[in-house]
Amino acid sequence: MNQDKKIAVLLPCYNEALTVEKVIKDYKEAFPTADIYVYDNNSTDGTGEIAKKAGAIVKREYAQGKGNVIRAMFKDIDADCYIMADGDDTNPPVPEMADMILRGEAEMVIGDRLSSTYFTENKRPFHNTGNRMVRGLINTLFDVNVTDIMTGSRAFSYTFVKTFPVLSKGFEIETEMTIHAAAHNLRMVEVPTNYRDRPEGSESKLNTYSDGAKVLGTIARLFKEYKPMAFFGLFALIFLIISICLFVPVFNEYFATGLVPRFPTLIVAGFLLIIGLLLFMCGLILEVIVKKNRQIFELFYIRTKR
């Protein structure tokens, strides 16, 4: 590891008094020259005080939610390599992740739990199902091949951190990071990491259903924003098919009898056809805007590159 490069370990924490000290110790041993940052997200169990005693640089983020914490971290901290981990002691440090960033092999390195011990260690079966569903959706919609979409164990380059617009407020932030990298052709590499479930007495802040719904909403929103032609084109096709299905029987009746007895059906078919064409045009116009935004991003990305 290059000793001249600055490494920052980022630990967003909310009520992790039981584990935060051990996490800080483990990451200090793995990255002895790194600065350890703990951002306390309104903890009520003394997490911040424990982290400070353990030698971390502690700051407080008052806007609740992991996405808000990551936004503050990315804004405040300058480093050549950023290591992000959860404060719940589920992600052991992997020095190889920092090495890959510092060698310029990737803009984001993802700690892949799902290829190792996640499905045997994790005691929440709906989380396993949710991970598979989210992975399948993103890989299909954005044409990538990422195994672990929602892991909190990641490493980033300076360029990624300073060009990533954090829009999510909560746990959907990891999904947003992955889609951002995929949409802007930023190199992602996965490194298998071990996963261990939370120790007894430590409670997860994730809500399987509400947070899962937010993640799916984030995927839909980003698919619309990054691939508007595909998004609006899909709905345009649906309206077009329904319109044709309604119109064909009326058309056949007209040729057979010369009469149009079902005017309401014909009118509805016409309206659906118009809606489909409008959706197609929206997708076409937005696709041009997205392409222009990508060109602007590339210029900004080049200027930010160290």
Side-chain angles (χ1 to χ4, degrees):
M1 191 180 299
N2 194 327
Q3 300 295 322
D4 298 328
K5 299 292 186 178
K6 182 179 178 182
I7 299 174
V9 176
L10 313 181
L11 302 175
C13 289
Y14 172 60
N15 286 344
E16 301 292 2
L18 190 66
T19 54
V20 68
E21 184 177 3
K22 182 178 182 301
V23 172
I24 293 169
K25 179 183 175 183
D26 289 347
Y27 276 85
K28 274 188 172 182
E29 290 178 358
F31 306 99
T33 62
D35 293 326
I36 312 289
Y37 292 88
V38 170
Y39 274 53
D40 183 4
N41 195 204
N42 303 313
S43 297
T44 57
D45 62 353
T47 295
E49 290 77 10
I50 294 170
K52 189 175 293 185
K53 289 179 182 177
I57 301 168
V58 179
K59 297 188 179 183
R60 192 168 182 109
E61 173 54 44
Y62 293 95
Q64 196 66 40
K66 187 174 183 180
N68 290 321
V69 177
I70 297 301
R71 180 188 295 110
M73 288 177 154
F74 283 7
K75 173 176 66 73
D76 296 343
I77 301 167
D78 288 333
D80 297 292
C81 173
Y82 300 78
I83 306 293
M84 187 179 82
D86 294 324
D88 56 9
D89 195 31
T90 59
N91 308 123
V94 183
E96 181 187 354
M97 295 171 70
D99 294 337
M100 296 180 77
I101 292 292
L102 294 175
R103 289 196 299 263
E105 296 178 15
E107 299 291 354
M108 178 169 65
V109 180
I110 300 171
D112 173 18
R113 310 160 298 168
L114 305 188
S115 296
S116 57
T117 56
Y118 183 82
F119 292 112
T120 55
E121 284 286 323
N122 183 40
K123 305 301 188 299
R124 293 156 291 182
F126 286 111
H127 286 202
N128 298 341
T129 304
N131 268 292
R132 290 189 179 100
M133 181 170 65
V134 169
R135 176 178 62 190
L137 269 174
I138 291 179
N139 286 341
T140 301
L141 295 177
F142 293 91
D143 192 26
V144 290
N145 185 24
V146 180
T147 304
D148 194 350
I149 303 291
M150 302 176 70
T151 177
S153 176
R154 295 172 186 253
F156 312 100
S157 68
Y158 174 86
T159 309
F160 182 95
V161 166
K162 297 306 180 182
T163 58
F164 173 53
V166 181
L167 301 178
S168 299
K169 297 179 180 179
F171 285 103
E172 61 272 26
I173 182 66
E174 287 94 355
T175 303
E176 187 178 1
M177 288 174 174
T178 305
I179 293 175
H180 172 78
H184 290 99
N185 197 28
L186 302 179
R187 181 165 168 73
M188 294 181 285
V189 176
E190 288 190 287
V191 173
T193 62
N194 290 325
Y195 173 87
R196 52 198 178 212
D197 205 8
R198 284 174 170 267
E200 188 175 350
S202 175
E203 295 184 2
S204 173
K205 315 306 182 298
L206 279 168
N207 183 296
T208 302
Y209 301 104
S210 65
D211 286 318
K214 289 176 184 177
V215 168
L216 293 177
T218 298
I219 294 172
R221 173 176 61 83
L222 294 177
F223 180 55
K224 178 190 68 175
E225 292 173 0
Y226 286 129
K227 295 197 169 186
M229 189 67 248
F231 181 85
F232 287 100
L234 175 63
F235 286 101
L237 181 62
I238 292 171
F239 277 96
L240 178 62
I241 291 172
I242 296 173
S243 174
I244 291 172
C245 290
L246 293 175
F247 178 74
V248 167
V250 177
F251 186 74
N252 289 337
E253 285 182 352
Y254 174 75
F255 268 90
T257 65
L259 301 173
V260 183
R262 291 189 290 173
F263 262 108
T265 302
L266 181 63
I267 293 169
V268 171
F271 272 115
L272 291 176
L273 177 62
I274 292 171
I275 292 172
L277 291 174
L278 287 174
L279 287 170
F280 177 79
M281 292 305 299
C282 284
L284 198 62
I285 294 168
L286 290 172
E287 189 73 21
V288 174
I289 295 173
V290 167
K291 185 175 181 180
K292 179 60 66 176
N293 287 339
R294 284 178 184 152
Q295 292 171 344
I296 295 171
F297 174 83
E298 283 299 318
L299 294 175
F300 186 55
Y301 171 79
I302 292 168
R303 292 190 177 198
T304 310
K305 188 78 174 175
R306 283 192 169 182

